[in-house]
């Protein structure tokens, strides 16, 4: 036998022995020599929902643009199909939303902020009553200082608004004329004797809430205000007083 044939035979036997030994030593495999290629695959991480939605939105926009630019039956059908899928998903979301609110009613925003007309009117009435109560509570320990000048057209227009507001909420008003002439809405006005300088009044009309016990003053505003603006500003002061527990 030629040398190269002998060498080839010995090499073949050696390889067979090594392979056989390796097969039996891999007892984890054993007779299960067939392995599913999927078993060695690393599970992929779940996709980011933001990325999924962005991909979906791009797909819908692409489909719409394609249908508009090339309105073939297939293009329009593809867009309608995507729209139907979106509507179906939105419907499922809405149904789940309602189911969650039934299980967790404390999450239902509409219970405290209703949207239907009947409940909304009740809510607004209650809100207005709460606001009125807050202003009336403020009126029990504070009054208004109203600085004006008789020749000021804004003062002339604002005076009856202040008077009506004070009568509606039973809040005391101390009207102070800076030029010594009273307006018709406040014929018994006081003449300024340094109060304007004490309150640092540089613009007229000027309105302050004042606590006669603590002598603490809070500016309500300068210039002409509507009755609704006046109410909101007084309400803001009253609510801050309620939160702090001390008068303004």
């Amino acid at each position: 036998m030629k040398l190269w044939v002998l060498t080839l035979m010995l090499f073949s036997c050696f390889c067979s022995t090594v392979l056989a030994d390796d097969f039996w030593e891999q007892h984890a495999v054993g007779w299960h020599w067939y392995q599913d290629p999927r078993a060695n695959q690393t599970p992929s991480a779940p996709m980011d929902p933001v990325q999924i939605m962005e991909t979906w939105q791009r797909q819908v926009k692409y489909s719409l643009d394609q249908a508009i630019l090339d309105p073939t039956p297939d293009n329009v059908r593809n867009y309608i199909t995507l729209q139907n899928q979106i509507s179906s998903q939105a419907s499922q979301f809405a149904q789940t939303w309602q189911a969650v609110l039934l299980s967790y009613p404390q999450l239902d925003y509409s219970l405290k902020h209703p949207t239907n007309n009947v409940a909304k009117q009740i809510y607004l009435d209650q809100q207005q009553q709460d606001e009125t109560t807050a202003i009336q509570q403020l009126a029990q320990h504070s009054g208004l200082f109203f600085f004006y000048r008789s020749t000021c057209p804004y003062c002339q227009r604002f005076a009856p608004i202040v008077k009506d507001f004070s009568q509606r909420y039973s809040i005391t008003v101390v009207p102070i004329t800076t030029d010594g002439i009273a307006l018709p809405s406040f014929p018994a006005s006081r003449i300024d004797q340094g109060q304007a300088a004490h309150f640092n009044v540089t613009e007229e009309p000027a309105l302050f809430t004042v606590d006669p016990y603590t002598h603490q003053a809070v500016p309500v505003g300068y210039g002409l205000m509507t009755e609704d603006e006046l109410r909101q500003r007084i309400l803001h002061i009253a609510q801050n007083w309620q939160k702090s527990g001390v008068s303004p």
Side-chain angles (χ1 to χ4, degrees):
M1 184 178 293
K2 294 183 178 180
L3 180 61
W4 68 271
V5 176
L6 179 61
T7 303
L8 180 60
M9 293 176 62
L10 291 174
F11 181 77
S12 300
C13 293
F14 174 77
C15 291
S16 300
T17 303
V18 171
L19 291 174
D21 291 342
D22 183 70
F23 174 82
W24 291 110
E25 287 175 358
Q26 294 181 6
H27 57 275
V29 176
W31 289 101
H32 302 286
W33 53 272
Y34 172 76
Q35 291 184 339
D36 188 344
R38 296 174 298 179
N40 294 326
Q41 293 181 356
T42 303
S44 59
M47 291 186 63
D48 185 348
V50 176
Q51 295 178 346
I52 296 176
M53 285 300 298
E54 289 177 349
T55 301
W56 200 0
Q57 290 170 355
R58 286 195 300 269
Q59 185 178 3
V60 172
K61 186 178 185 306
Y62 175 84
S63 179
L64 174 61
D65 294 343
Q66 188 179 39
I68 293 176
L69 295 176
D70 186 17
T72 64
D74 286 341
N75 289 341
V76 174
R77 176 179 57 82
N78 290 336
Y79 175 69
I80 294 175
T81 300
L82 287 175
Q83 282 287 49
N84 289 342
Q85 291 175 355
I86 294 175
S87 299
S88 176
Q89 194 71 24
S91 177
Q92 293 179 23
F93 173 77
Q95 293 175 4
T96 305
W97 177 290
Q98 292 298 327
V100 170
L101 292 183
L102 290 175
S103 300
Y104 304 93
Q106 68 274 17
L107 298 178
D108 194 344
Y109 183 82
S110 65
L111 292 180
K112 294 183 179 180
H113 304 275
T115 56
N116 69 73
N117 291 334
V118 177
K120 188 174 182 179
Q121 186 59 52
I122 296 176
Y123 169 77
L124 293 176
D125 291 343
Q126 183 61 49
Q127 184 181 39
Q128 186 174 18
Q129 180 59 45
D130 292 342
E131 292 176 354
T132 299
T133 301
I135 296 175
Q136 289 175 340
Q137 289 177 347
L138 176 71
Q140 294 177 4
H141 58 76
S142 297
L144 297 175
F145 271 34
F146 174 47
F147 293 91
Y148 68 88
R149 179 169 38 89
S150 64
T151 57
C152 167
Y154 300 105
C155 300
Q156 296 169 1
R157 182 66 184 88
F158 191 38
I161 295 176
V162 174
K163 182 176 181 179
D164 291 344
F165 182 86
S166 65
Q167 292 176 342
R168 179 173 293 105
Y169 296 101
S170 301
I171 185 169
T172 302
V173 179
V174 178
I176 301 174
T177 170
T178 57
D179 61 359
I181 301 176
L183 288 174
S185 298
F186 297 105
S189 297
R190 299 183 183 183
I191 299 176
D192 179 30
Q193 295 181 342
Q195 296 94 330
H198 177 75
F199 283 88
N200 195 28
V201 174
T202 57
E203 300 291 338
E204 297 159 330
L207 193 66
F208 297 81
T209 61
V210 180
D211 188 327
Y213 303 101
T214 64
H215 303 286
Q216 187 174 4
V218 177
V220 177
Y222 300 89
L224 177 61
M225 290 177 279
T226 65
E227 184 171 346
D228 185 63
E229 290 174 330
L230 176 58
R231 172 187 170 88
Q232 291 302 318
R233 295 193 183 190
I234 295 290
L235 176 63
H236 178 70
I237 296 173
Q239 290 174 337
N240 286 341
W241 167 73
Q242 287 181 337
K243 291 178 181 178
S244 64
V246 295
S247 59

